[in-house]
């Protein structure tokens, strides 16, 4: 591995060790981050979603993730300090050439990006991710993919959390040399399901499905081979 990415690779390895052996130190072992992007879209949407998912993972999977989410910009060198980055929103997304290259380097060096369409993101994110990986297309993952079969099993793929266009939920991936570097959840609204219950008044059974699928994504991201 290139020296530039050694620090990040070690951080990912540390996260895997803490996850696998259930070790608990006085401080957290790693952080998750929300991706801040340009273009005018609401990258900051779903303010309670990631903290709630972190709490669920810590309580149910013996993880030791920092309780508060971080925010990281697409073009920042700090991107390389996070093993898992979450992206959401409803509107426009624009990656500059430098940001696209930075995100590409991050993903190729062992990082993982989860994109959750909060409704209206699809037409923009597909175009921008093509800047990051011009050689790849999003491919729909089959229901027997390991991301659906971690701690929790989803035999029919992604759960449907919120209705928008009466389309079935779909999970798409960008795969580089056999490794899933980006997972894109479409027409499911997982992030809304992670939010505090009183925001959308979703039944608790629906929220639990969303949180369990989110926990699967985090688990898979931290344990798949680099």
């Amino acid at each position: 591995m290139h020296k530039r990415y050694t620090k990040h690779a070690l951080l990912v390895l540390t996260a895997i060790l803490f996850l696998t052996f259930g070790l608990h130190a006085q401080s957290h072992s790693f952080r998750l981050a929300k991706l801040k992007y340009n273009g005018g879209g609401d990258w900051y949407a779903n303010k309670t979603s990631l903290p709630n998912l972190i709490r669920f993972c810590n309580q149910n999977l013996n993880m030791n993730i920092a309780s508060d989410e971080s925010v990281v910009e697409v073009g920042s060198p700090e991107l390389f300090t996070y093993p898992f980055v979450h992206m959401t929103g409803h509107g426009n997304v624009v990656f500059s050439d430098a940001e696209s290259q930075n995100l590409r380097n991050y993903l190729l060096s062992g990082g993982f990006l989860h994109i959750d369409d909060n409704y209206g993101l699809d037409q923009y994110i597909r175009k921008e991710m093509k800047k990051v990986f011009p050689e790849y297309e999003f491919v729909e993952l089959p229901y027997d993919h390991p991301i659906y079969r971690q701690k929790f099993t989803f035999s029919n793929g992604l759960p449907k959390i919120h209705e928008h266009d009466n389309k079935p939920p779909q999970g798409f991936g960008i795969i580089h040399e056999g490794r899933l570097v980006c997972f894109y959840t479409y027409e499911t609204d997982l992030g809304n399901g992670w939010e505090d219950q009183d925001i959308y008044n979703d039944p608790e059974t629906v929220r639990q499905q969303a949180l369990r699928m989110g926990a699967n994504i985090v688990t898979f991201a931290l344990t798949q081979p680099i």
Side-chain angles (χ1 to χ4, degrees):
M1 184 177 292
H2 196 283
K3 290 182 179 179
R4 179 179 178 183
Y5 307 133
T6 301
K7 182 179 178 181
H8 179 69
L10 289 174
L11 180 124
V12 174
L13 179 59
T14 301
I16 293 170
L17 291 174
F18 272 85
L19 174 64
T20 304
F21 297 105
L23 299 177
H24 292 274
Q26 291 183 349
S27 61
H28 60 267
S29 54
F30 59 99
R31 284 182 172 274
L32 306 186
K34 180 178 285 184
L35 192 69
K36 180 179 180 180
Y37 51 86
N38 295 310
D42 54 341
W43 61 266
Y44 46 82
N46 295 350
K47 296 184 184 300
T48 66
S49 63
L50 205 52
N52 283 343
L53 177 61
I54 290 168
R55 185 179 305 110
F56 183 89
C57 290
N58 286 343
Q59 292 176 349
N60 293 275
L61 300 179
N62 293 324
M63 293 188 186
N64 191 23
I65 310 171
S67 60
D68 55 324
E69 69 177 35
S70 296
V71 172
V72 63
E73 296 185 3
V74 184
S76 172
E78 292 183 7
L79 187 65
F80 291 82
T81 66
Y82 302 102
F84 180 101
V85 175
H86 172 73
M87 178 181 181
T88 190
H90 298 81
N92 193 27
V93 180
V94 174
F95 295 157
S96 69
D97 290 344
E99 288 171 337
S100 299
Q101 188 62 52
N102 194 59
L103 182 56
R104 178 185 176 91
N105 290 341
Y106 163 73
L107 294 173
L108 294 184
S109 70
F112 187 93
L113 175 64
H114 171 228
I115 305 170
D116 187 46
D117 179 19
N118 207 356
Y119 193 57
L121 190 70
D122 187 71
Q123 62 177 312
Y124 305 109
I125 194 56
R126 287 183 177 274
K127 177 171 63 71
E128 296 309 296
M129 287 305 294
K130 198 65 179 172
K131 294 179 183 177
V132 180
F133 287 108
E135 72 271 41
Y136 295 134
E137 303 287 344
F138 276 114
V139 295
E140 186 168 7
L141 302 186
Y143 292 164
D144 62 354
H145 191 278
I147 205 165
Y148 298 125
R149 299 174 183 275
Q150 298 292 308
K151 170 69 173 180
F152 306 103
T153 299
F154 289 83
S155 300
N156 297 313
L158 292 170
K160 184 73 170 178
I161 306 305
H162 283 177
E163 292 289 346
H164 291 300
D165 294 327
N166 297 314
K167 296 178 181 179
Q170 293 176 281
F172 298 98
I174 292 177
I175 301 171
H176 171 72
E177 296 182 352
R179 178 176 170 269
L180 182 66
V181 297
C182 175
F183 184 52
Y184 173 38
T185 48
Y186 175 65
E187 282 290 329
T188 170
D189 238 343
L190 285 180
N192 279 9
W194 303 342
E195 290 255 58
D196 289 348
Q197 198 278 334
D198 59 358
I199 294 179
Y200 295 105
N201 294 316
D202 290 326
E204 186 58 25
T205 53
V206 173
R207 289 190 69 244
Q208 287 298 312
Q209 285 292 91
L211 288 164
R212 289 172 181 173
M213 186 64 232
N216 271 15
I217 298 170
V218 174
T219 304
F220 177 83
L222 296 178
T223 57
Q224 70 168 328
I226 298 175

